[in-house]
C-alpha cells in the first residue's frame, strides 16, 4: 500500500524521512524543520516513545534513568549540556562555572565503601592505590594513538601485561597481593561498563585514545534525561514524529512514484513493517548499531556496499545494564555515593570463563546511590557483557533473590532486609536496540566509524545523496555518548542544508 500524501501534502521541496526518534534523529529533524527547502519531514519511530536510549521512567516515587544516566563532560563544548541549559532542565550546581571546569580525565570517582565477597571491607587506601595504577595505565594507552604498531591488539591485553610487571614488584604478603588483584578486577569490570563491552580484550588498543573526554563534572537531570528529548519533540511541528512505525526495508537507487505527486520520481522508498511505503528524496538512518548488525541483510535493498557492511560488522557493540533496588531503609552511610563490590580470588591476570548460571552477578561492579527522593532509598547497580545479557533472561524475582544474597554476603549481615522491589534495563533484548552502545573493537579502527557515517551512494554528487547515517556509532571521537549522537544528527542535517538551503 502507498502511504499517499502521508509525508506532507504540499508539492515542491525535498521530502526527507528520519528513521529513529532518538536524540540523533530528533536533532536532525529540529535542524531541518525551520527550512522551506524541507516542508515534508517525518520522523518514523519504531516504539511508542521518543528518546531511544535516553529513557526515564517514573518509579519508586521518583524518576530513574533506564538508559543514559549522565551528561558526560557538561561544559560549553557539549551540545547536550547547552541544549539542556537552554531548556532550563539543569540546576544551579550543574550550570556553575566551577562544575564546568572540573577535569575528571573521564574516570569514575573512587568508591565511598568497598565490600569484599568475604564480608570484609576493603581498605579505601588500597582501593585508591589500585585506582591510581589502573587509571594511570588507561591514560598511557593514548601513547599508541598514532603508533605504527602496538605491542598487543587490545586494551585488555596491554593492561594485563603492564599489571603483570607491577605485580613482580609487590612486596606484601600473598593475601594482600591477591586482594589487590581482586580490586583491579573490579576496575576491569567497571571499564567494561564504561566501554559497553564484555571484555577489555575486545577493545582495540591503537584507536582507544581517539575517544575524547570533555571537561566538566558529569551531571544528571533531576527530573529525568528524557525531559530533554521530550522538549525536542515538542519543538517540532505536530505529527512530525510518527510512533510505533517500525521500518522494514529501505529501497534505494530506485525510481519510485506516489499518486499525490504526479510526474515526480523519488530515489528512495521506505517500507514499513505494516506495509506503508514513503517515497522520499533523502532518508537519514539513525538506528542503533546493534539493530543494524542484526538486520544488515534485509534492511537495505539493494544491500549496502561491501565496505560499509564490513564496518558495521567490525565495530563493537555491547551491553551495559542497570539494576535498581529499592530499600525500606538504607544500610549504607548517609554520605555514601558509590559502593564497590570486590570478588575475592578474582584476578584480571586469570581468564575466567563466564559461569553465567551460577556466577553472573560477579560481573556487577557495585552500586551508585541515587539521591533519596521523599523517603525512598534506591541503589543502581551496573553490569556489562555476556553476564549482563544473561541477567536479562532471568525473572525479577530471581534477580532480587540473587542480589539480596550477594548484599547479605558482602555486608556480613545475614539478616539484611531484602529490597522492596527491583527494576532493570534490558537493552540487549530490546528489539530495536540490541545492546547499549558502540566501541572500537579489535579488528576495527576509527576509520570504520567515519566509513559508517558516509552517505550513499558513495559516488553520488550532492543532489543524488539518498541515505545518510547518524547516531552515536557514527561519531569518531564521541561514540557511545548522547552528545556524539546529537552532533551526528546535526552533521547530517547540515549536509542536506548545504545542498538545498545553502543560504540557510
Amino acid at each position: 500500500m502507498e502511504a499517499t500524501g502521508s509525508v506532507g501534502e504540499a508539492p515542491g521541496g525535498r521530502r526527507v524521512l528520519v528513521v529513529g526518534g532518538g536524540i540523533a534523529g530528533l536533532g536532525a529533524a529540529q535542524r531541518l524543520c525551520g527550512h522551506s527547502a524541507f516542508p515534508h519531514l517525518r520522523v518514523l519511530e519504531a516504539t511508542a516513545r521518543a528518546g531511544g536510549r535516553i529513557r526515564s521512567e517514573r518509579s519508586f516515587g521518583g524518576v530513574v534513568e533506564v538508559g543514559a544516566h549522565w551528561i558526560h563532560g557538561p561544559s560549553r563544548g557539549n551540545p547536550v549540556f547547552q541544549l539542556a541549559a537552554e531548556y532550563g532542565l539543569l540546576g544551579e550546581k550543574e550550570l556553575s562555572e566551577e562544575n564546568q571546569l572540573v577535569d575528571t580525565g573521564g574516570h569514575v570517582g573512587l568508591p565511598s565503601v568497598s565490600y569484599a565477597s568475604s564480608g570484609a571491607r576493603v581498605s579505601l587506601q588500597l582501593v585508591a592505590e589500585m585506582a591510581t595504577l589502573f587509571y594511570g595505565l588507561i591514560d598511557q594507552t593514548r601513547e599508541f594513538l598514532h603508533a605504527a604498531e602496538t605491542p598487543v591488539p587490545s586494551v585488555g591485553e596491554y593492561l594485563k601485561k603492564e599489571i603483570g610487571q607491577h605485580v613482580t614488584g609487590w612486596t606484601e604478603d600473598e593475601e594482600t597481593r591477591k586482594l589487590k588483584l581482586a580490586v583491579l578486577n573490579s576496575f576491569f569490570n567497571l571499564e567494561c561498563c564504561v566501554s559497553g563491552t564484555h571484555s577489555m580484550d575486545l577493545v582495540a588498543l591503537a584507536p582507544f585514545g581517539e575517544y575524547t573526554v570533555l571537561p566538566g563534572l558529569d551531571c544528571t537531570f533531576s527530573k529525568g534525561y528524557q525531559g530533554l528529548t521530550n522538549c525536542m519533540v515538542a519543538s517540532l511541528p505536530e505529527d512530525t514524529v510518527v510512533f510505533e512505525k517500525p521500518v522494514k526495508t529501505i529501497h534505494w537507487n530506485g525510481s519510485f512514484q506516489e499518486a499525490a505527486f504526479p510526474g515526480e520520481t523519488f530515489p528512495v522508498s521506505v517500507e514499513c513493517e505494516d506495509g506503508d511505503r514513503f517515497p522520499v528524496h533523502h532518508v537519514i538512518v539513525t538506528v542503533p548499531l546493534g539493530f543494524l548488525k542484526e538486520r544488515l541483510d534485509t534492511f537495505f535493498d539493494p544491500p549496502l556496499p561491501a565496505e560499509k557492511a564490513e564496518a558495521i560488522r567490525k565495530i563493537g557493540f555491547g551491553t551495559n545494564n542497570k539494576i535498581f533496588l529499592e530499600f525500606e531503609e538504607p544500610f549504607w552511610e548517609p554520605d555514601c555515593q558509590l559502593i564497590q563490590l570486590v570478588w575475592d580470588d578474582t584476578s584480571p591476570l586469570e581468564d575466567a570463563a563466564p559461569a553465567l548460571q551460577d556466577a553472573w552477578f560477579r560481573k556487577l561492579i557495585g552500586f551508585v546511590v541515587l539521591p533519596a527522593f521523599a523517603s525512598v532509598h534506591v541503589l543502581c547497580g551496573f553490569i556489562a557483557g555476556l553476564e549482563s545479557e544473561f541477567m536479562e533472561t532471568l525473572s525479577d524475582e530471581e534477580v532480587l533473590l540473587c542480589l539480596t544474597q550477594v548484599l547479605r554476603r558482602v555486608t556480613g549481615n545475614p539478616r539484611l532486609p531484602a529490597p522492596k522491589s527491583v527494576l532493570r534495563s534490558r537493552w540487549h533484548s530490546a528489539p530495536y536496540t540490541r545492546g547499549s552502545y558502540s566501541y572500537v573493537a579489535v579488528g576495527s579502527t576509527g576509520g570504520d566509524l567515519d566509513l559508517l557515517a558516509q552517505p550513499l551512494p558513495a559516488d553520488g554528487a550532492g543532489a543524488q545523496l539518498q541515505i545518510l547515517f547518524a547516531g552515536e556509532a557514527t561519531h569518531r571521537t564521541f561514540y557511545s555518548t548522547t552528545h556524539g549522537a546529537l552532533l551526528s544528527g546535526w552533521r547530517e542535517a547540515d549536509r542536506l542544508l548545504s545542498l538545498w538551503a545553502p543560504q540557510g
Side-chain angles (χ1 to χ4, degrees):
M1 152 194 179
E2 295 291 316
T4 308
S6 50
V7 183
E9 297 296 342
R14 311 303 291 172
R15 287 156 64 87
V16 178
L17 200 58
V18 177
V19 180
I23 196 169
L26 296 174
Q30 256 190 334
R31 199 84 145 196
L32 294 174
C33 248
H35 284 271
S36 55
F38 306 102
H40 320 292
L41 177 74
R42 282 287 180 276
V43 178
L44 301 188
E45 167 53 45
T47 71
R49 46 167 286 281
R53 286 166 273 174
I54 293 174
R55 183 174 161 195
S56 312
E57 279 191 16
R58 299 208 71 79
S59 195
F60 314 122
V63 175
V64 295
E65 303 294 7
V66 176
H69 201 102
W70 292 276
I71 299 180
H72 292 296
S75 49
R76 286 191 176 81
N78 186 325
V80 168
F81 174 71
Q82 293 287 45
L83 200 55
E86 277 169 41
Y87 284 133
L89 301 174
L90 299 174
E92 226 168 280
K93 185 171 179 290
E94 288 77 29
L95 294 168
S96 70
E97 195 69 31
E98 192 187 346
N99 254 38
Q100 294 183 47
L101 295 173
V102 175
D103 189 2
T104 63
H107 304 318
V108 179
L110 290 173
S112 318
V113 62
S114 179
Y115 290 115
S117 54
S118 61
R121 287 196 182 195
V122 183
S123 142
L124 290 182
Q125 190 186 337
L126 185 143
V127 172
E129 197 188 317
M130 290 304 97
T132 302
L133 169 59
F134 184 82
Y135 290 119
L137 293 175
I138 286 279
D139 290 342
Q140 272 182 40
T141 59
R142 291 190 178 274
E143 292 173 15
F144 302 107
L145 189 47
H146 301 295
E149 50 186 57
T150 57
V152 288
S154 72
V155 174
E157 289 161 285
Y158 172 72
L159 295 172
K160 289 187 282 193
K161 186 166 78 69
E162 294 292 315
I163 288 166
Q165 288 169 357
H166 276 267
V167 172
T168 59
W170 289 351
T171 53
E172 303 91 341
D173 57 272
E174 192 186 355
E175 200 175 321
T176 306
R177 293 200 306 265
K178 285 180 80 167
L179 182 58
K180 282 182 159 185
L181 285 167
V183 169
L184 284 169
N185 200 66
S186 184
F187 284 117
F188 270 77
N189 287 343
L190 175 54
E191 203 59 32
C192 286
C193 289
V194 172
S195 283
T197 185
H198 171 63
S199 163
M200 294 310 291
D201 291 359
L202 301 173
V203 181
L205 178 57
F208 189 60
E210 278 195 286
Y211 176 83
T212 305
V213 175
L214 295 171
L217 187 62
D218 290 1
C219 69
T220 56
F221 291 78
S222 58
K223 294 187 170 64
Y225 220 130
Q226 210 178 301
L228 178 65
T229 45
N230 289 349
C231 284
M232 294 173 81
V233 172
S235 77
L236 298 171
E238 215 180 338
D239 301 330
T240 299
V241 184
V242 185
F243 294 101
E244 298 186 274
K245 201 76 175 166
V247 168
K248 182 182 177 188
T249 306
I250 294 169
H251 304 272
W252 60 292
N253 253 357
S255 182
F256 303 97
Q257 293 174 326
E258 184 173 342
F261 295 86
E264 249 201 285
T265 61
F266 302 91
V268 179
S269 174
V270 176
E271 180 189 357
C272 297
E273 295 281 4
D274 63 8
D276 279 358
R277 285 176 180 252
F278 296 90
V280 292
H281 295 105
H282 311 284
V283 59
I284 304 178
V285 176
T286 74
V287 300
L289 177 63
F291 176 86
L292 274 184
K293 282 176 178 285
E294 187 173 77
R295 305 285 182 98
L296 194 50
D297 297 337
T298 58
F299 201 62
F300 300 95
D301 170 36
L304 294 178
E307 58 175 6
K308 171 90 82 174
E310 195 53 32
I312 290 170
R313 277 193 279 270
K314 286 197 297 195
I315 302 168
F317 194 80
T319 304
N320 179 24
N321 275 311
K322 300 178 184 181
I323 306 173
F324 299 93
L325 299 175
E326 179 194 9
F327 292 84
E328 199 79 64
E329 294 295 332
F331 63 82
W332 53 92
E333 301 293 320
D335 57 352
C336 181
Q337 292 183 313
L338 177 62
I339 298 169
Q340 181 184 49
L341 293 185
V342 173
W343 298 94
D344 292 300
D345 298 325
T346 56
S347 162
L349 306 181
E350 290 163 28
D351 291 326
L356 300 179
Q357 208 72 44
D358 318 312
W360 63 269
F361 48 85
R362 289 163 74 102
K363 194 70 166 275
L364 192 72
I365 58 125
F367 299 90
V368 168
V369 180
L370 297 190
F373 21 84
S375 57
V376 184
H377 307 281
V378 180
L379 295 181
C380 172
F382 288 82
I383 182 168
L386 296 173
E387 294 85 352
S388 188
E389 292 170 13
F390 176 77
M391 179 277 299
E392 295 187 26
T393 67
L394 302 173
S395 67
D396 280 353
E397 292 71 29
E398 287 172 303
V399 171
L400 194 127
L401 180 66
C402 181
L403 294 189
T404 301
Q405 289 169 339
V406 166
L407 287 170
R408 286 175 178 168
R409 179 177 163 185
V410 302
T411 57
N413 177 3
R415 285 186 290 284
L416 187 86
K420 276 171 58 173
S421 63
V422 62
L423 171 76
R424 60 211 158 110
S425 61
R426 292 189 187 84
W427 288 108
H428 181 69
S429 310
Y432 301 108
T433 316
R434 308 300 279 131
S436 300
Y437 36 82
S438 61
Y439 60 93
V440 185
V442 171
S444 68
T445 67
D448 289 316
L449 283 85
D450 282 345
L451 215 161
L452 179 54
Q454 287 306 307
L456 293 174
D459 56 356
Q464 276 73 49
L465 290 185
Q466 297 170 29
I467 309 180
L468 298 86
F469 293 84
E472 54 85 14
T474 70
H475 199 292
R476 185 164 182 160
T477 56
F478 292 147
Y479 55 86
S480 81
T481 66
T482 55
H483 52 277
L486 179 57
L487 285 169
S488 73
W490 287 352
R491 178 192 69 214
E492 297 312 309
D494 289 346
R495 199 188 297 272
L496 289 180
L497 287 167
S498 66
L499 296 179
W500 300 110
Q503 291 77 35

